[in-house]
Amino acid sequence: MRSADSIIYLDHAAFTPICAESLKAMLAYTDSRYANASSIHESGRKANQALYSLRKRVAKVIGSRPSEVIFTGSGTESDNLAILGFARANRQHGNHIIVSAIEHKAILEPAKQLQKEGFDVTILPVDKQGSVSVADCLEAIRHNTTLISVMYANNEIGTIQPIKELAKELQSLKMDRLPVLHSDACQATGMLSINVNNLGVDMMSLNSSKIYGPKGIGMLYIRDGLKLQPIIHGGSQEGGLRAGTENLASIAGFVQALEIAESKRNDEVSRLMKLNRYFCESLLSSVDDIKLNGHPENRLVNNLHFSIKDIEGESMLLMLDHHGIAASTGSACTAHDLKPSHVLMAIGQSNEIVHSSIRFTMGRGTTMQQVNKVLQVFPDIIKKLRKSSVLTTYGYAKN
């Protein structure tokens, strides 16, 4: 069994290890500040004051008001609350929503649920680089469109979407009631600016476990004035939108991680950009029949997603794991799903190659030495797999 320190971890898009500062912040809320923030006694009031202080700190990072910050149990819950909560609460204004074809399933599955409830859902296509067309989105809008959800950056292939441009164009529409724009920014946090005023979004989802904070905590920015229905019932916490006693310790860890991610963002992006370029160019030159997925430039600097002809993705992962290298084929939320990636299908990949993908996502602990170790073993892994490939054996490799 390898120690954690010996593993080359290149799956930061799935989960990031909790940082020491975040853990320390959590521990501070497990001793004297343990009371329920809804209680009216002194300890409860102190907990409530602490909760408000944490909310203010988030608001400062994203450029919102504290009242616009709702803490949730995950990025998935934030997405669900945005889609289901808004659509159901505003059905009297229209029953049409638009979501992109490469959204996380935390968006696509709620959209399917809304279809069962009588809503009309438009799935917005993307180009071969995974980019949403602003013009196509505007063309899809109808008189009864109430909600549009386009992720800030894709979790599988890393393509960054034109959220700011889309928001600007939406504001110029001559409609009695403009569609509300939601963006899943879980993967973008720490890599891109998440200032809601600059982006122009009405709702935005974040996830602690993607930014070196604890699991099981996230948030949803909701612009003041928007009406949503809760999807979890049983209490009046979080402005009546999220029942359940607030998890102060996890919230504290999340907020600390968020502030650190923002403070390190420029330096980390600069560092990872150099690693990304070197890693990508080296792999493309050392492995035959390999293709970079996603936009070649307008992408997250920690993300590299490849399709490799005549190779089965899971086999690559197992052989990399044998060498102490952790990577993935795509979204961790669908890692055990045998269905082909909906993201890769959306960008036009064939069934033959869609299962031949691998994703390397770097983080704060990724070094040039680690990248060179991957570059040392990966080409040989591909050669070995191709020799034993069923595709090669049966002649499909020549097609």
Side-chain angles (χ1 to χ4, degrees):
M1 181 70 69
R2 296 185 184 90
S3 67
D5 292 338
S6 68
I7 294 174
I8 298 176
Y9 186 73
L10 295 175
D11 198 17
H12 288 82
F15 176 70
T16 52
I18 188 168
C19 65
E21 298 91 337
S22 178
L23 183 59
K24 182 178 179 180
M26 293 179 70
L27 291 174
Y29 282 84
T30 59
D31 47 27
S32 60
R33 288 175 282 187
Y34 53 78
N36 190 321
S38 298
S39 298
I40 62 173
H41 48 62
E42 182 179 358
S43 295
R45 294 196 302 272
K46 287 182 178 180
N48 187 265
Q49 290 169 0
L51 178 61
Y52 181 70
S53 176
L54 291 166
R55 208 183 301 275
K56 283 177 63 178
R57 288 165 62 184
V58 173
K60 183 177 181 181
V61 172
I62 68 173
S64 73
R65 300 183 181 92
S67 59
E68 297 173 317
V69 174
I70 301 299
F71 292 114
T72 66
S74 62
T76 293
E77 185 188 328
S78 296
D79 283 343
N80 271 250
L81 178 58
I83 302 303
L84 297 173
F86 183 84
R88 289 168 177 168
N90 293 275
R91 187 165 188 163
Q92 71 274 23
H93 302 302
N95 69 336
H96 177 235
I97 70 170
I98 300 171
V99 299
S100 88
I102 59 168
E103 294 300 302
H104 192 281
K105 287 193 175 182
I107 296 292
L108 294 176
E109 291 302 316
K112 289 181 181 179
Q113 175 58 37
L114 288 176
Q115 285 181 311
K116 296 176 182 178
E117 298 174 15
F119 284 83
D120 193 4
V121 178
T122 293
I123 305 296
L124 194 66
V126 295
D127 63 20
K128 292 184 178 181
Q129 296 177 334
S131 299
V132 167
S133 164
V134 172
D136 287 350
C137 185
L138 296 176
E139 187 176 346
I141 294 173
R142 309 171 188 171
H143 71 281
N144 63 337
T145 304
T146 58
L147 176 65
I148 299 170
S149 186
V150 176
M151 67 194 332
Y152 196 178
N154 185 259
N155 54 302
E156 290 193 36
I157 60 175
T159 300
I160 300 169
Q161 303 301 337
I163 300 300
K164 190 173 183 179
E165 181 185 351
L166 176 56
K168 183 178 180 181
E169 292 298 326
L170 287 175
Q171 290 301 314
S172 68
L173 294 178
K174 296 180 180 179
M175 299 177 65
D176 293 336
R177 181 179 291 270
L178 293 175
V180 162
L181 177 61
H182 166 259
S183 187
D184 178 338
C186 293
Q187 288 294 334
T189 313
M191 296 288 122
L192 304 171
S193 170
I194 53 171
N195 185 291
V196 294
N197 295 311
N198 292 338
L199 286 173
V201 295
D202 301 295
M203 295 190 288
M204 182 176 71
S205 302
L206 303 183
N207 185 352
S208 169
S209 67
K210 309 297 184 184
I211 55 170
Y212 305 89
K215 295 179 183 177
I217 187 71
M219 63 144 286
L220 177 65
Y221 157 73
I222 305 172
R223 179 171 55 78
D224 277 347
L226 295 185
K227 182 181 179 183
L228 278 77
Q229 284 186 11
I231 58 173
I232 296 178
H233 303 272
S236 59
Q237 293 90 349
E238 296 303 297
L241 288 177
R242 209 274 179 176
T245 302
E246 289 95 347
N247 186 341
L248 269 179
S250 290
I251 291 171
F254 169 38
V255 174
Q256 186 69 38
L258 180 63
E259 290 175 335
I260 292 173
E262 182 62 17
S263 68
K264 290 179 177 287
R265 179 166 58 88
N266 290 335
D267 289 342
E268 188 67 357
V269 165
S270 178
R271 186 184 73 86
L272 287 173
M273 187 179 294
K274 296 174 184 177
L275 268 183
N276 185 297
R277 186 179 298 115
Y278 170 74
F279 197 2
C280 183
E281 291 175 355
S282 299
L283 276 180
L284 290 175
S285 64
S286 62
V287 178
D288 294 332
D289 293 321
I290 182 173
K291 178 183 181 296
L292 177 68
N293 294 315
H295 199 284
E297 297 174 356
N298 191 32
R299 64 184 301 120
L300 295 175
V301 296
N302 71 326
N303 178 296
L304 286 173
H305 191 288
F306 298 98
S307 289
I308 304 175
K309 190 177 180 183
D310 306 330
I311 300 295
E312 197 270 329
E314 281 71 21
S315 297
M316 278 189 285
L317 295 185
L318 290 173
M319 292 191 74
L320 282 169
D321 188 54
H322 177 74
H323 288 278
I325 300 166
S328 67
T329 55
S331 174
C333 297
T334 56
H336 300 288
D337 191 344
L338 295 179
K339 295 179 181 178
S341 162
H342 69 281
V343 174
L344 297 183
M345 296 297 287
I347 63 175
Q349 287 200 353
S350 65
N351 284 323
E352 287 77 18
I353 201 170
V354 76
H355 288 291
S356 303
S357 66
I358 189 165
R359 181 185 70 178
F360 298 107
T361 45
M362 298 174 285
R364 292 178 194 165
T366 308
T367 65
M368 181 65 77
Q369 182 181 9
Q370 291 180 335
V371 168
N372 281 326
K373 173 65 183 299
V374 178
L375 293 171
Q376 179 185 349
V377 303
F378 193 60
D380 288 337
I381 288 175
I382 299 305
K383 289 177 183 178
K384 290 178 181 178
L385 288 174
R386 279 181 172 154
K387 285 182 179 179
S388 60
S389 172
V390 173
L391 294 174
T392 304
T393 301
Y394 286 92
Y396 291 109
K398 298 178 181 180
N399 294 340

